[in-house]
Amino acid sequence: MLLTENIIIADADYVDSVAFDLTVNFERMLGRRVPQADMARWVECMALDGGMREGSHQTTVILIHDSRNACMKNFAPGHFKDELDGKAFCGKLGEFTFSAVQTEPMADKEQIASDILQLVTQDDKTVKRLMVALPPEMTGRVNSLLKHSDCQEAVATLFTMQPARGGAYRQEMLGYSLMAALGISGKEIEEKLNKTY
């Protein structure tokens, strides 16, 4: 796993389920089909919400997933082994490199996420920005690791669907970056609501 200045850590199964819920709700609201989320667009939007700006940055995207799941069904590209792991793309925010990490019999997602967070937060010379999208039940562990890390200079942002209490990190709504990746704009929602009322 490559450690870079910017790190995105996500529970891929959790993010995929949130994307599915958004798709179902917005297809009903907007009266149209919502396409699969654009993976590149999603990570770029997360990076922007995490404070990154245009430039030649290096970002590692770590997708933790259950070994039973071969892909993120609501994302394109979404297949871990064939389309994401070890692959990269370049955009206005620099290069994004993907790493897919699956659960093992002796290590569940929470243990893997904790191990990766410990590794990342111990490297105070490399990591400057950390963006995390994990389910609500893992936020306590994230908070504990960040409070006691050597990486105090890094800017950490937790992406959730509901605000988490306390925390040694900034918070952003995960739904905003996912909506952008799904091609749903605030303007379209506003126009639909205005027509309804």
Side-chain angles (χ1 to χ4, degrees):
M1 178 177 53
L2 178 68
L3 282 186
T4 53
E5 183 179 347
N6 306 292
I7 304 280
I8 294 174
I9 302 170
D11 179 330
D13 305 316
Y14 166 66
V15 171
D16 199 35
S17 71
V18 174
F20 173 76
D21 290 343
L22 289 173
T23 298
V24 170
N25 290 328
F26 280 106
E27 281 186 342
R28 199 173 2 211
M29 175 194 268
L30 301 173
R32 68 167 175 87
R33 184 183 170 280
V34 172
Q36 288 181 300
D38 181 314
M39 178 62 78
R41 178 87 173 119
W42 176 60
V43 295
E44 283 188 320
C45 287
M46 268 195 72
L48 287 168
D49 287 346
M52 286 177 62
R53 295 299 174 255
E54 286 189 24
S56 300
H57 306 290
Q58 295 286 320
T59 304
T60 300
V61 181
I62 302 165
L63 301 172
I64 305 166
H65 67 96
D66 193 296
S67 58
R68 294 171 295 184
N69 298 330
C71 67
M72 295 173 79
K73 296 174 184 173
N74 300 285
F75 279 79
H79 196 281
F80 297 116
K81 186 178 177 184
D82 296 339
E83 299 175 327
L84 295 170
D85 192 39
K87 305 294 191 295
F89 77 91
C90 287
K92 291 182 179 179
L93 300 177
E95 184 176 63
F96 289 78
T97 305
F98 290 86
S99 178
V101 180
Q102 70 178 26
T103 57
E104 301 291 342
M106 300 297 287
D108 62 12
K109 275 193 277 191
E110 187 162 3
Q111 183 60 56
I112 291 169
S114 294
D115 290 347
I116 292 170
L117 276 166
Q118 276 189 311
L119 174 69
V120 167
T121 56
Q122 285 173 356
D123 192 339
D124 62 341
K125 292 181 177 64
T126 304
V127 180
K128 302 301 178 197
R129 192 173 305 280
L130 176 63
M131 293 148 279
V132 181
L134 297 173
E137 60 269 20
M138 290 192 202
T139 56
R141 185 72 179 131
V142 172
N143 190 34
S144 176
L145 285 167
L146 292 177
K147 270 186 179 175
H148 301 99
S149 76
D150 297 325
C151 197
Q152 298 297 331
E153 298 302 312
V155 176
T157 306
L158 178 67
F159 290 80
T160 63
M161 288 304 289
Q162 297 177 358
R165 293 178 59 178
Y169 41 71
R170 297 171 60 239
Q171 291 188 45
E172 292 288 340
M173 285 295 294
L174 174 61
Y176 295 148
S177 56
L178 285 172
M179 284 169 62
L182 289 164
I184 301 163
S185 70
K187 185 178 179 183
E188 182 183 14
I189 295 168
E190 187 179 342
E191 286 173 356
K192 187 69 176 178
L193 289 174
N194 287 339
K195 284 179 183 176
T196 305
Y197 298 107

